[in-house]
Amino acid sequence: MILSILDWTIIAGYLLLSIIIGIWASKKGSKSTRSYFLAGKNLPWWLLGISMVATTFSTDTPNLVTDIVRRNGVAGNWTWWAFLLTGMLSVFVYARLWNRSGLLTDIEFYELRYGGKPAAFLRGFRALYLGLIFNSLVMGAVSLAAIKFGEIVLEIPGWKTLIMACSVTLVYSVLGGLRAVIITDFVQFIIAMIGSIWATIYIISLPQIGSIKKLISHPNVVGKIDIFPDFSDPNIWVPLFFVPLAVQWWATYYPGSEPGGGGYIAQRIFSAKDEKGAMAATFLFNFSHYALRPWPWILIALSSLIIFPEINDIQKAFPTLSTGKLGHDVAYPAMLTLLPSGLLGLVSASLIAAFMSTMSTQLNLGASYLVNDFYHRFVKKDATERELVLAGRVFTVLSILIGASLGLSLKSAGQAFNLLLLVGAGTGAIYILRWFWWRINAMTEIIAMISSVIIAGYLNFGNVIMEDWKKIIIGAFLTTIAWVLGTFLTKPEDEKVLKNFVKVIDPGGPGWKRFSYEKPEKKWNLPFNLLRIFLGVFCVYSLLIGVGHLIYQNIFGYLFITFSLVGISILFIWSDRD
């Protein structure tokens, strides 16, 4: 057996702590829907930011990074690093607007921005789609990673791992609501960072690897370490670098990187005390997610190319692993089996905690959609706060059963990642523009939604032989054409609805000039915020690249880090202008 009694004790200790937090938070989380789904809107910005980071780190995240590195090298990570552009857009533009709206969920936005039956349909349909279907797909991908982790590291069937982790997740999520989720997120983040860095140091010191210098010069690794793709070959740099940075970040809807800052990012923004707190929390999330966390996973992925050069080597080492779950992504949990007792328990606890963190967030978010935007809006409008909290708990149980079951049918983290990107291709631009252009209406979103599903279904299940990146471009292009045409061929929203939106949100800019209301003139700050977005992206990418160069023992890393620190200092000075 790989895990010792000490390892199991560490894991059990974390699970017990999560239950205690849930019981403690239940006293405040059961008062109302806002306390259950928004933690009372009184949490500090740094706790909300760390919660965002912890939620984005699930059991499938290091598996996905490992799959990418083993297939496409370090440069392959631009497929998700590109989402930093969306993240910084959320920081300097949408965090303030979402917090100002005073909404309970981002789905409720539909009946603030649009009017009539189309708006009601959008709210109800999106509540069911995101709360059940899309949310279940996300939880299925997370559950898949937990299954592989359980079979390789814990040496127990995947379904038993799910029962163990899901049971504890249910307890604290159902009892304590978002407050319990966020506090356990904080604990999980600390454990995860300590565990991943410590595990990386230990693995690199193994005799088979020896040191960083030996690692990056190994024949199996040397062709995988470049941070940027080979720009002399368009077959490499176009799908790995150009498409993510030119199309993917704005055109697709991906959890945690939604254009316009929706999903659980918006939920944390709603929970912030004020607009500045919302911006600070979102910046901390993007800074930590893209600049601080990736390299330990990348180094373990590179090390796996020495220990397990091919998939067959993993299969030989773990013959009991289900053949349907075998892929490059399982190299990460396979590498963890090399850790000593104690450290293996800590890392295992961190990965179980990562699974629970993402699952609990998706459960609470999905339940908020189903309760606030479907049950309360369409089924029982006169429901009391106590009834709504109870409904949220029922939907939480239902959602985890569906999500965990779906995890048993998926095969790889990369498969789930590409499917999520493809389903939302082409809709992202609407979520960005609807805040600043009055002409976008409810029918715009309905047309985009239907077009995206039809096009994605055909490209993914219609025996179309084509690379995934080409499918994303074609899907985004066709869906965008459909909704742009639909916008001009359908009636605009009622003027009263548009004026009320401007009064509540005050987005400013030429796109709303005709609907302005009596208010002291103030300068539109979007142009200045676009400059801050550029500088924020520059800072985070500079730090990401700088750390990579230092790991590769390249002195230019100090230069990139200096650029990053200077940029962050400028952003801090500019924060006084908010």
Side-chain angles (χ1 to χ4, degrees), residues 419 422-424 449-464 471 475 479:
L419 183 58
L422 187 57
V423 168
M449 189 168 54
I450 295 173
S451 301
S452 175
V453 171
I454 293 174
I455 294 169
Y458 173 73
L459 293 176
N460 207 48
F461 303 107
N463 294 322
V464 177
K471 292 180 181 179
T479 301

Side-chain angles (χ1 to χ4, degrees), residues 4 68 75 92 107 132 137 142 144 182-183 244 259 284 326 328 345 370 376 402 437 471 531 538 541:
S4 66
I68 290 172
F92 295 111
I107 301 296
L132 279 179
L137 186 58
V142 175
L144 169 66
I182 289 177
I183 294 174
L284 175 61
L326 184 64
H328 285 290
L370 295 172
H376 192 204
I402 297 174
W437 186 29
K471 292 180 181 179
L531 178 60
F538 174 79
Y541 279 153

Side-chain angles (χ1 to χ4, degrees), residues 77-88:
N77 285 286
W78 285 103
T79 55
W80 66 275
W81 286 344
F83 284 122
L84 173 64
L85 300 175
T86 307
M88 285 300 167

Side-chain angles (χ1 to χ4, degrees), residues 147-153 311 314-315 317-327 329-331 333-334:
I147 290 170
K148 294 183 177 183
F149 169 76
E151 292 184 357
I152 292 177
V153 179
I311 292 181
I314 301 175
Q315 189 174 32
F318 304 95
T320 59
L321 179 65
S322 306
T323 55
K325 306 298 182 184
L326 184 64
D329 57 338
V330 300

Side-chain angles (χ1 to χ4, degrees), residues 134-458:
F134 193 82
N135 201 35
S136 296
L137 186 58
V138 174
M139 290 191 290
V142 175
S143 298
L144 169 66
I147 290 170
K148 294 183 177 183
F149 169 76
E151 292 184 357
I152 292 177
V153 179
L154 304 183
E155 291 190 324
I156 60 176
W159 63 270
K160 289 186 178 180
T161 304
L162 289 182
I163 289 178
M164 174 182 66
C166 287
S167 297
V168 177
T169 304
L170 263 182
V171 170
Y172 75 79
S173 299
V174 167
L175 290 177
L178 186 63
R179 185 179 299 274
V181 171
I182 289 177
I183 294 174
T184 52
D185 281 348
F186 177 77
V187 177
Q188 178 267 324
F189 176 76
I190 301 300
I191 296 175
M193 289 304 298
I194 294 174
S196 62
I197 294 173
W198 192 356
T200 303
I201 294 172
Y202 180 86
I203 286 175
I204 290 175
S205 66
L206 290 172
Q208 301 96 311
I209 299 171
S211 65
I212 288 286
K213 186 176 182 180
K214 292 180 180 179
L215 170 65
I216 62 178
S217 61
H218 193 280
N220 293 358
V221 176
V222 69
K224 302 284 188 179
I225 64 173
D226 291 335
I227 298 175
F228 293 98
D230 181 4
F231 289 108
S232 65
D233 187 352
N235 291 322
I236 296 177
W237 68 265
V238 169
L240 295 185
F241 190 78
F242 176 77
V243 172
L245 288 173
V247 179
Q248 181 178 293
W249 72 270
W250 61 264
T252 58
Y253 185 96
Y254 188 77
S257 303
E258 299 88 347
Y264 64 79
I265 300 299
Q267 187 185 37
R268 301 306 191 273
I269 291 172
F270 293 143
S271 303
K273 296 178 181 178
D274 51 36
E275 293 178 16
K276 292 193 71 171
M279 291 177 63
T282 314
F283 182 83
L284 175 61
F285 157 61
N286 283 278
F287 182 82
S288 302
H289 179 54
Y290 294 101
L292 299 183
R293 201 169 51 183
W295 281 106
W297 301 334
I298 291 172
L299 290 173
I300 291 179
L302 292 173
S303 300
S304 74
L305 291 168
I306 299 176
I307 307 297
F308 305 107
E310 304 293 338
I311 292 181
N312 291 337
D313 298 308
I314 301 175
Q315 189 174 32
K316 291 177 183 177
F318 304 95
T320 59
L321 179 65
S322 306
T323 55
K325 306 298 182 184
L326 184 64
H328 285 290
D329 57 338
V330 300
Y332 187 84
M335 291 296 293
L336 298 183
T337 62
L338 304 175
L339 300 178
S341 177
L343 177 55
L344 179 58
L346 178 65
V347 174
S348 297
S350 72
L351 289 176
I352 293 173
F355 167 80
M356 293 164 56
S357 170
T358 303
M359 290 291 280
S360 60
T361 287
Q362 295 300 144
L363 289 171
N364 189 269
L365 178 65
S368 71
Y369 291 157
L370 295 172
V371 171
N372 184 66
D373 302 301
F374 185 77
Y375 179 76
H376 192 204
R377 173 63 178 83
F378 299 102
V379 179
K380 194 172 183 180
K381 295 183 178 181
D382 59 347
T384 64
E385 288 293 319
R386 186 174 182 178
E387 289 174 330
L388 293 175
V389 171
L390 177 60
R393 288 170 170 162
V394 172
F395 284 129
T396 297
V397 176
L398 175 64
S399 297
I400 202 169
L401 291 175
I402 297 174
S405 299
L406 184 59
L408 297 171
S409 63
L410 292 173
K411 292 184 179 180
S412 74
Q415 176 194 27
F417 180 78
N418 290 327
L419 183 58
L420 288 173
L421 290 181
L422 187 57
V423 168
T427 61
I430 296 176
Y431 306 128
I432 294 174
L433 295 176
R434 64 187 182 181
W435 295 85
F436 298 105
W437 186 29
W438 70 273
R439 191 60 182 83
I440 288 179
N441 55 46
M443 291 306 299
T444 301
E445 297 215 26
I446 292 173
I447 291 170
M449 189 168 54
I450 295 173
S451 301
S452 175
V453 171
I454 293 174
I455 294 169
Y458 173 73

Side-chain angles (χ1 to χ4, degrees), residues 59-69 77 80 254 329 413-414 417:
T59 317
D60 65 327
T61 313
N63 288 21
L64 173 63
V65 171
T66 301
D67 184 82
I68 290 172
V69 171
N77 285 286
W80 66 275
Y254 188 77
D329 57 338
F417 180 78

